[in-house]
Amino acid sequence: MLEIDPISKSSPIAKSAPYSFNYDKEWLAITRAFASINPLNSPIPPDEGESHYRTLIETEEAWIEKNLVEADKMVIPENFETTAPIYDPSVGLHPSEHPKEYTSPQTVAFCKLLGIDNVFDCNEEDREERRLKAPPADSNSSGGRGGGGGRGSGRGFGGRGRGRGRGRGRGYR
């Protein structure tokens, strides 16, 4: 394996970069429109139809225009910071217990910008309770390539079809 050492220990991003990334107004409106649906403890709601959702999104798009576009807050901040420990090769890829949850300051700032709740953030007691209720760390691991038993054996036919039909192989006109 090739290993390349960095020339310098850190190379900070220049704050005067000529380019920046901006949020998409419609995407932010969709995020606000669906923010009330908590994926962690709510059943999936019934489909209310496109016209219902279009109205919600248009309402939120007006909010985005007034509160973010006009306030010049559409630039995605360069606010990344490490929140969880970096990968430790001595632990390996399959730890014996579930990893600890960490609050992402970027998600906190994003939710604050949009004026929505951060449903993924919780206190330490709730995190520990979720961790203890989770299935064993190794129960989701089936080995191999996604549990399908390896290449081409998903349906018991060797991955090459069943030979039905005439096909359009060599010499087809």
Side-chain angles (χ1 to χ4, degrees), residues 95-99 130-141:
S96 60
E97 59 185 35
H98 286 282
R130 274 201 309 231
R131 191 183 70 76
L132 293 173
K133 286 182 178 178
D138 62 354
S139 69
N140 294 330
S141 174

Side-chain angles (χ1 to χ4, degrees), residues 148-159:
R151 183 176 178 179
S153 62
R155 299 175 102 192
F157 300 112

Side-chain angles (χ1 to χ4, degrees), residues 89-148:
S90 68
V91 172
L93 294 177
H94 302 286
S96 60
E97 59 185 35
H98 286 282
K100 185 177 179 215
E101 291 182 41
Y102 296 90
T103 297
S104 165
Q106 296 87 278
T107 304
V108 170
F110 179 73
C111 290
K112 184 177 178 182
L113 175 75
L114 291 182
I116 61 175
D117 290 334
N118 181 358
V119 298
F120 299 103
D121 191 23
C122 62
N123 62 41
E124 290 299 322
E125 293 165 353
D126 291 342
R127 286 183 180 151
E128 183 62 14
E129 183 180 333
R130 274 201 309 231
R131 191 183 70 76
L132 293 173
K133 286 182 178 178
D138 62 354
S139 69
N140 294 330
S141 174
S142 58
R145 296 180 173 172

Side-chain angles (χ1 to χ4, degrees), residues 23-65:
Y23 291 116
D24 179 77
K25 186 167 80 169
E26 185 179 24
W27 178 76
L28 293 177
I30 291 168
T31 302
R32 273 187 55 89
F34 290 95
S36 64
I37 300 171
N38 183 339
L40 300 177
N41 58 14
S42 298
I44 297 172
D47 184 355
E48 306 252 2
E50 188 174 338
S51 62
H52 170 76
Y53 298 118
R54 175 54 47 202
T55 303
L56 289 176
I57 293 167
E58 287 171 354
T59 300
E60 297 305 337
E61 218 167 337
W63 187 95
I64 297 295
E65 182 68 35

